[in-house]
Amino acid sequence: MALPAGLSLIYLIGLPCLTIGLLFQLIALVTANWSVSQDEVLFGLWEKCQDDSSCEENSEEMITPGLEACQAFAVLAIVIGGVSVILSLVHALMAMLGKPLRKLVPLIVMITSACTLIFIIISVVVWSAAVHKSGTVTHGYSFALSIVGGLLIAGGGILVFLGSP
């Protein structure tokens, strides 16, 4: 199997890692399953749900500075992670078209990917410390997806950097 001109296998593995990681973070951002109570109430960044059909936005008393910090850092992670994905895809397209490549782009992809991971870590740590009520509540799949997404984005950024032409 021939690789596209100017792209290494490591680079081509990094691209889907970045994209899948961003998709995981996006799913984590919009789903209400960051924490699950014993009576099956789901808590998310933006809403809480009694079951799959009855969800409501977080009430004013639920919106604490900790929750707002989680929301802000999760959104920042999406934006900066999106920059990583777009830059790496444009860089790959330029390589396939035989255009001159900028050596700085893979470095920027790696740095923005690392920033994305840092923002996700801040978001999940603040959620665990300030929002999540330990004891009667467990972490949900959205919480785990956010962590896995951050690791995939960071790993993809490193692979893009290491495999850049």
Side-chain angles (χ1 to χ4, degrees), residues 34 44-46 58 60-75 119-133 143:
W34 279 63
L45 294 175
W46 312 104
N58 289 333
E60 288 295 320
E61 59 269 2
M62 282 187 66
I63 300 176
T64 62
L67 179 60
E68 289 177 332
C70 290
Q71 292 171 338
F73 281 105
V75 169
F119 292 152
I120 290 171
I121 289 171
I122 292 170
S123 181
V124 297
V125 166
V126 171
W127 180 271
S128 293
V131 179
H132 178 81
K133 310 287 189 251
F143 183 85

Side-chain angles (χ1 to χ4, degrees), residues 16-96:
C17 286
L18 280 168
T19 307
I20 292 168
L22 185 64
L23 179 65
F24 281 5
Q25 178 61 18
L26 183 62
I27 292 169
L29 182 73
V30 299
T31 53
N33 205 318
W34 279 63
S35 294
V36 182
S37 70
Q38 288 178 339
D39 54 350
E40 297 300 316
V41 177
L42 309 174
F43 299 95
L45 294 175
W46 312 104
E47 61 186 3
K48 80 173 188 175
C49 301
Q50 295 293 342
D51 54 39
D52 289 338
S53 61
S54 64
C55 294
E56 60 187 40
E57 286 186 25
N58 289 333
S59 61
E60 288 295 320
E61 59 269 2
M62 282 187 66
I63 300 176
T64 62
L67 179 60
E68 289 177 332
C70 290
Q71 292 171 338
F73 281 105
V75 169
L76 278 172
I78 290 288
V79 171
I80 301 300
V83 169
S84 294
V85 170
I86 290 169
L87 280 175
S88 62
L89 289 174
V90 168
H91 192 255
L93 181 63
M94 297 292 282
M96 287 188 285

